[in-house]
Amino acid sequence: EVQLVESGGGLVQPGGSLRLSCAASGFTFTSYWMSWVRRAPGKGLEWVANIKQDGSDKYYVDSVRGRFTISRDNAKNSLYLQMNGLRAEDTAVYYCARDRAGYSSGWYFYYFDYWGQGTLVTVSS
Amino acid sequence: EIVLTQSPGTLSLSPGERATLSCRASQNISTIYLAWYQQKPGQAPRLLIYSASSRATGIPDRFSGSGSGTDFTLTISRLEPEDFAVYYCQQYGSSPRYTFGQGTKLEIK
């Protein structure tokens, strides 16, 4: 059974840092891109970042680029999100999600087939 | 950046009725890049549909997806009590990698 379990959320002051972790099990972790997705209170889902299987490629949404760093430890089947320079607008539930690849007529496409339960990050003084 | 606009914002229906949720893209996207998710309060999102019309594993056949170009639809043929939730469309692109619509809340009338 695929499981994704996030941890590391909490209350932090503006400008502070936090490191989120996601423990993966039940699948071959090294075969998948992995993502972080967040949902701010009263708002919709927002993709934050993702990372390639071997960690060599990383992508970020503009609003976090330069402040957040996604990483993974394949030996530990774990995904991380280092968040620095936190702002009130970063307050959200952060989900770890598996990027599932499909292939059709020469094109790859991706979607999220498994999600963790999320960890809450609150940025407030 | 492709923007996805979902309508209506809130849909009030009764169990047994048919629900039609819309997702409009700001420019043409390939059907393979469009997915739909369901999220209930306090729960993680759940994949319903990928490639615009393919049901994910374990999703009941009352859920169906359709559309092409800029207009996509999620249809729930006969609403069950457990279907009342928030629904999001999502597209896979280049920058940013993924974007979501703002969501449609399906509530019990």
Side-chain angles (χ1 to χ4, degrees):
Chain A
E1 179 192 5
V2 172
Q3 285 199 324
L4 299 170
V5 180
E6 303 93 337
S7 60
L11 174 64
V12 61
Q13 292 188 338
S17 298
L18 213 54
R19 189 195 195 207
L20 305 183
S21 299
C22 171
S25 61
F27 65 100
T28 304
F29 187 66
T30 52
S31 295
Y32 293 88
W33 284 75
M34 296 294 296
S35 282
W36 289 98
V37 179
R38 66 186 179 184
R39 184 179 182 185
K43 298 199 172 181
L45 297 170
E46 179 184 41
W47 170 79
V48 174
N50 71 345
I51 185 168
K52 195 177 180 180
Q53 291 91 330
D54 62 0
S56 61
D57 274 341
K58 305 173 185 181
Y59 296 90
Y60 300 90
V61 70
D62 285 350
S63 59
V64 309
R65 189 175 293 115
R67 299 188 299 123
F68 290 11
T69 301
I70 189 171
S71 63
R72 63 193 295 164
D73 185 336
N74 287 341
K76 295 182 178 180
N77 285 351
S78 292
L79 177 71
Y80 305 102
L81 187 67
Q82 176 67 44
M83 304 186 294
N84 298 331
L86 282 160
R87 306 167 179 166
E89 55 266 34
D90 296 317
T91 294
V93 175
Y94 285 74
Y95 299 97
C96 165
R98 189 175 82 169
D99 297 36
R100 177 68 180 268
Y103 185 79
S104 175
S105 302
W107 296 93
Y108 281 98
F109 58 94
Y110 291 84
Y111 50 91
F112 305 118
D113 63 345
Y114 286 96
W115 300 66
Q117 286 300 306
T119 186
L120 176 63
V121 172
T122 303
V123 184
S124 174
S125 54
Chain B
E1 176 183 344
I2 294 176
V3 176
L4 299 178
T5 302
Q6 294 185 239
S7 61
T10 302
L11 184 58
S12 300
L13 294 170
S14 301
E17 290 192 293
R18 180 185 185 89
T20 303
L21 287 66
S22 173
C23 176
R24 178 162 289 178
S26 58
Q27 54 187 280
N28 282 349
I29 59 174
S30 173
T31 56
I32 63 173
Y33 296 144
L34 198 287
W36 289 92
Y37 301 84
Q38 175 195 67
Q39 188 173 30
K40 298 179 182 179
Q43 295 187 18
R46 178 173 72 144
L47 174 69
L48 298 175
I49 301 287
Y50 63 94
S51 297
S53 60
S54 297
R55 265 189 305 276
T57 302
I59 300 303
D61 61 7
R62 64 179 181 273
F63 290 91
S64 63
S66 63
S68 63
T70 60
D71 292 306
F72 298 88
T73 300
L74 175 70
T75 301
I76 310 171
S77 58
R78 283 180 57 85
L79 285 167
E80 297 288 341
E82 62 267 28
D83 297 337
F84 292 91
V86 180
Y87 292 83
Y88 296 95
C89 57
Q90 169 250 309
Q91 72 96 23
Y92 170 74
S94 56
S95 182
R97 282 290 172 176
Y98 301 94
T99 52
F100 291 90
Q102 82 279 19
T104 289
K105 181 180 181 181
L106 178 57
E107 64 177 24
I108 299 177
K109 187 173 181 180

